[in-house]
Amino acid sequence: MHRIILTLLTVCLCASVAIAQSTEQSKYYRTTTFEIPEDIVLEAGGLDFLPNGELAVSTRRGDIYRVTHPFSADPAKESEFEPFASGLHEVLGIAARDGWLYATQRCEISRLKDEDGDGRADLFETVAVPWEINGDYHEYAFGSKFDKDGYIWAPLCLTGSFSSQVPFRGWCFRISADGEVIPTVSGIRSPGGIGINAHGDVFYTDNQGPWNGTCGLKHLEAGKFMGHPGGNRWYDLAPNMGPEPKAPESGSRFHLEAEKIPEYLPAAVLFPYDKMGKSASGVELDRSGGKFGPFADQMLVGDQSHSTVMRVFMEKINGRYQGVCFPFLEGIASGTLPLLMSDSGSLFVGGTNRGWGSRGSAPYSLERIEWTGETPFEIEEMRAQPDGFELEFTMAYDAKSAMSPDSYQLTTYTYIYQSSYGSPEVDHTEPKITRIEKINDKTVRLTIDGLQKGHVHELHSPGVRSATGEKLWHDVAYYTLNQIPKK
């Protein structure tokens, strides 16, 4: 009886916390849910806008739909889901260009066109077939939008997410609109999404598993190795990539192996497992110029398992990307997968949970999230310094609280770089904040004794208040310090 009562109390407490969080989020961000017809299994895999302003949604089941009036205030009454194409193979990326809709299928890059104007694709062409498949469930292929040079980037999941049984599982290709194929990056394990930042550089999410102690956001740079050696057997088929990189040492640490293997590029941002999610997914740029709140040019990253959208600020230190992730939006109806931001500041989120459990209980979903105009009190940016970090808030802070060392708690840890699955947090330290300096009304600098190269620096700021007395909406930040800035 006591166990039943305790369980009920726990459920009620968790529900109360979730309701409170949802209520606070609604002050800043409004969610509109599209009603999906009963005869459509959406399981969204890709999103893009068509030239006529409609929203194209591809699905894991191989269909593509046109959603009319995607910006309607009442999509339940005004938006329709119209079929555009079917019979494709797990489309996890679409990109509209020059009247075509390019689709990244599990087996190839294709393009589709509606030539007779009836709203349905009637011309299907194969653009490129640069990799192979063998029927394994995990052999996903994700596709980006076109980059600044006119290429789609396509990262490929390993066979079974553990090994590379056919060429080029565990690699990323660039594919041009006319079918040019370039093997570009090796070392991928299990991608969940791909996107392009404000500078035109390409990033993808890779998920926890062998050689990935936790999920992370990784920079796809031509010629680099992302960390999982399972697909390195195909270097002979990619002469443009040069020789196969040296194999990493299992049981080491990411930053130590990066010093020994020139081609190895560790994650720019690590997502601490379960604290920030369990299955990192879609990647999108806030290109709205401030119409989505105070986070312009930052990256938004989904987590399928937790049904959330994280916020990521990155910077280049010593020529390499690194940065910080923050909790952001939660309560997505299904498991977050593709993200798409409009220039006007509407974030479209597609959801699916078949085969991948998620907090969002719906089997699939399509939602639109918009800023209400009210600015939350948040750490907008966290920037590395030679001897600490600089915090910039979204609004003026209360000096007494922001300048007090008691307002902050800082710990660090890293993960084992190993061939076995995942890793616990290891090598914990507790650096000391020795000084806090006011830079301006929105920025402080923390001087820290004990920065740890290669560690996640987990900063809690529960005591900080805004000038008007508000608590931080989210008071935790996770900075991946791959490089310490030079003095």
Side-chain angles (χ1 to χ4, degrees):
M1 183 65 179
H2 289 152
R3 182 177 297 175
I4 293 173
I5 293 173
L6 180 59
T7 300
L8 289 172
L9 288 173
T10 302
V11 171
C12 290
L13 178 61
C14 291
S16 298
V17 170
I19 291 171
Q21 292 171 337
S22 176
T23 300
E24 185 168 12
Q25 178 170 303
S26 66
K27 289 168 49 180
Y28 311 119
Y29 290 91
R30 176 177 57 252
T31 299
T32 300
T33 301
F34 288 77
E35 291 189 8
I36 301 168
E38 292 183 359
D39 60 341
I40 292 177
V41 179
L42 200 67
E43 293 187 343
L47 301 168
D48 203 4
F49 296 112
L50 297 172
N52 64 0
E54 294 178 341
L55 176 68
V57 184
S58 67
T59 80
R60 294 172 63 199
R61 302 211 174 188
D63 301 308
I64 300 178
Y65 294 93
R66 296 181 296 106
V67 181
T68 65
H69 307 293
F71 298 97
S72 169
D74 189 0
K77 292 183 178 179
E78 298 185 22
S79 296
E80 301 287 342
F81 286 73
E82 300 289 348
F84 181 73
S86 61
L88 305 174
H89 194 174
E90 195 178 49
V91 184
L92 296 180
I94 51 176
R97 183 182 180 91
D98 298 332
W100 294 91
L101 187 64
Y102 288 76
T104 301
Q105 300 188 64
R106 177 179 285 247
C107 50
E108 67 176 52
I109 302 287
S110 315
R111 62 181 185 178
L112 299 67
K113 181 182 282 189
D114 171 18
E115 284 203 305
D116 61 12
D118 68 351
R120 298 196 181 201
D122 41 48
L123 180 59
F124 295 71
E125 293 185 354
T126 293
V127 176
V129 190
W131 60 82
E132 295 183 18
I133 60 173
N134 73 357
D136 176 79
Y137 173 82
H138 289 85
E139 288 187 345
Y140 313 119
F142 287 83
S144 73
K145 303 298 185 285
F146 283 92
D147 71 4
K148 57 190 175 184
D149 298 317
Y151 292 95
I152 289 173
W153 294 60
L156 310 172
C157 186
L158 289 168
T159 309
S161 75
F162 285 91
S163 62
S164 185
Q165 299 301 314
V166 294
F168 275 87
R169 307 314 306 184
W171 285 63
C172 178
F173 280 86
R174 282 176 290 165
I175 301 99
S176 71
D178 60 2
E180 180 189 7
V181 170
I182 306 174
T184 300
V185 175
S186 67
I188 288 167
R189 179 187 174 263
S190 182
I194 184 168
I196 302 172
N197 75 357
H199 301 290
D201 294 321
V202 184
F203 293 80
Y204 84 104
T205 50
D206 212 338
N207 279 278
Q208 187 208 44
W211 302 104
N212 282 274
T214 189
C215 305
L217 184 66
K218 300 185 179 184
H219 177 206
L220 287 167
E221 183 178 332
K224 292 299 183 179
F225 165 62
M226 295 292 100
H228 194 300
N232 287 358
R233 60 190 296 191
W234 309 118
Y235 265 84
D236 288 346
L237 302 181
N240 66 300
M241 289 283 289
E244 178 181 343
K246 177 183 176 182
E249 177 187 346
S250 181
S252 184
R253 303 292 185 266
F254 303 120
H255 68 288
L256 297 179
E257 293 305 293
E259 293 173 357
K260 296 188 292 185
I261 306 172
E263 300 88 350
Y264 174 44
L265 196 59
V269 178
L270 293 171
F271 303 125
Y273 195 73
D274 208 24
K275 295 176 179 178
M276 286 295 284
K278 295 181 178 180
S279 185
S281 59
V283 182
E284 179 60 305
L285 169 69
D286 179 359
R287 63 176 58 82
S288 69
K291 297 173 185 175
F292 192 68
F295 310 116
D297 290 342
Q298 294 192 13
M299 301 299 281
L300 304 176
V301 179
D303 186 84
Q304 191 277 333
S305 177
H306 280 195
S307 302
T308 55
V309 176
M310 303 175 274
R311 179 168 61 87
V312 171
F313 167 77
M314 286 185 290
E315 56 185 347
K316 267 192 171 180
I317 302 295
N318 302 333
R320 294 295 181 200
Y321 278 109
Q322 64 183 37
V324 57
C325 61
F326 305 91
F328 189 35
L329 305 172
E330 58 182 38
I332 306 303
S334 187
T336 309
L337 196 58
L339 306 176
L340 179 67
M341 175 69 75
S342 74
D343 293 339
S344 60
S346 293
L347 177 67
F348 290 85
V349 182
T352 174
N353 70 7
R354 173 173 56 90
W356 311 325
S358 66
R359 287 181 179 175
S361 59
Y364 39 83
S365 62
L366 179 65
E367 294 172 298
R368 189 182 72 228
I369 302 175
E370 292 157 311
W371 183 41
T372 65
E374 184 168 345
T375 299
F377 182 47
E378 292 275 66
I379 298 174
E380 183 175 341
E381 298 180 5
M382 181 175 178
R383 298 183 287 265
Q385 302 295 313
D387 56 357
F389 293 100
E390 198 168 87
L391 307 180
E392 181 175 341
F393 299 92
T394 56
M395 59 181 67
Y397 54 77
D398 165 66
K400 182 178 180 180
S401 63
M403 303 292 289
S404 171
D406 292 337
S407 292
Y408 306 91
Q409 293 96 46
L410 179 63
T411 58
T412 86
Y413 45 85
T414 188
Y415 298 88
I416 306 169
Y417 185 30
Q418 61 185 352
S419 59
S420 54
Y421 200 100
S423 166
E425 296 174 3
V426 297
D427 305 341
H428 290 78
T429 72
E430 295 185 5
K432 184 178 180 181
I433 299 174
T434 60
R435 183 184 179 202
I436 303 177
E437 178 185 357
K438 178 178 179 178
I439 304 302
N440 55 49
D441 289 344
K442 293 172 62 178
T443 307
V444 297
R445 181 174 296 161
L446 309 181
T447 299
I448 294 168
D449 181 13
L451 290 177
Q452 300 292 322
K453 182 178 180 180
H455 280 217
V456 173
H457 288 62
E458 180 175 324
L459 179 68
H460 293 260
S461 310
V464 178
R465 298 290 183 270
S466 72
T468 55
E470 294 176 75
K471 295 180 180 180
L472 287 163
W473 181 22
H474 300 103
D475 65 8
V476 63
Y478 304 92
Y479 192 104
T480 302
L481 194 68
N482 290 323
Q483 299 282 327
I484 298 176
K486 298 174 183 177
K487 293 183 179 180

